[in-house]
Amino acid sequence: MSNNIQSVRGMNDWLPDAAETWQAFEDVVRAWLRRYGYRELRTPILEATPLFKRAIGEVTDIVEKEMYTFVDELNGESLTLRPEGTASAVRAVIQHNLLYDGGKRLWYTGPMFRHERPQKGRYRQFHQVGVEALGFGGPDVDAELIVMCADLWRELGIAPTLQLNTLGDSEARARHRAKLIAYFEQHQDLLDEDGKRRLHSNPLRILDSKNPAMAEINAAAPQLIDEIDAEARAHFDGVQKLLTASGIAFEINPRLVRGLDYYNRTVFEWVTDQLGAQGTVCAGGRYDGLIEQLGGKPNPAAGFAMGVERLLALVEAAGRPVATAVPDAYIVHAGEAAAAFAWQAAAAIRAAGLAVVMHAGGGSFKSQMKKADASRARVALIVGDDEVAAGQMSLKPLRADAPVGTGETQCRVSVTQAISILKQASA
Ligand code: ATP
Ligand code: MG
């Protein structure tokens, strides 16, 4: 066994039960996004490395130590497996001039890659659903993004809580930065290695440290909220008013800074205490400077990304049933004539939009019926010599939710009758 090749550490297979749960989640997500007028954007998984360095910031956990970066040996270009989706979305929006006629509401989903230490809720390949509202500057859009999250949580039957903060604009951040550097310089002996390195390059990032030893010194650090100017404060008040009007509870967390450099003004995280250390299921905020920073015409923007693995774990913890697909029927057949009849019947039943698993691999009726049970199909359709002679199939209910009208016992039906019974049951 030890010679067998395994999946890459921190990268998971999604076996059918999990994949179908994911599909059911995606169905809910697509319908939810449509209700809010967001449209899907699909971008490549590989991007030129400088995109992420410029967007996320050189002195961040992601760019400093988490990116899968390699040189394309055919042309010497440095490429990176995307660690997040906002940079790609903004790149595409600029490249295709999508904002030429006004703001756009977009979303994306797919795998992201970060070279982190794998643990529950933290993987090297994980998945996000991301939502971006580009070209809108008002607090209404910040509130819309948050309200729509709350709407999705309701539908999924989960209840993460909302943490909110404002990072203000660049002048406030510059003032705060100077105060932070002065403060951390006074406490240099308490800084960890990352902290010492970031003291002058990116002191705000020190506040985002995951090191428990840094908690105390960070707790007493100068707060950005004290530097926020009137305009940004009014924006933040506007967001809070709309949230309150929508009945959304939130907690202001002045230490919430987010791990990426591109944010300004509103930032938020949806957190839960039900998933251990990896408690943030969704995070986002405003990033008004990013489009210009990546070479586009200045345009405000805001968005968020949620972690699919963490959300599905939370849905599971809430005791939601796993949504897996079941076939409508499993066809059991023995003999050459029966196989030919069954083959035609399966085609007709599928053409009617029903799901049929055709038994493969031969075997006795008894062993085939075991497979039928294991398939979780609603009914078995049995074809033997008698049935072929009569041009019929025997329909046997396999589950409590088997088709109505057939009772518990087996009955003989034509293919047309089988289709109408199965259709009633799956309606
Ligand atoms: P964390 O603080 O947990 O490292 P982050 O701030 O790096 O998260 P974001 O870049 O904001 O995360 O990504 C948005 C969401 O994607 C997170 O809230 C989380 O749900 C999910 N996520 C991020 N990194 C991972 C990972 N390595 N494995 C699984 N999910 C992740
Ligand atoms: Mg992280």
Side-chain angles (χ1 to χ4, degrees), residues 1-8 13:
M1 277 304 279
S2 60
N3 277 337
N4 289 349
I5 296 173
Q6 307 278 305
S7 63
V8 174
D13 297 314

Side-chain angles (χ1 to χ4, degrees), residues 32 35 114 136 209 211 280:
W32 161 70
R35 288 203 299 277
R114 297 185 193 178
F136 305 101
S209 169
N211 181 357
T280 306

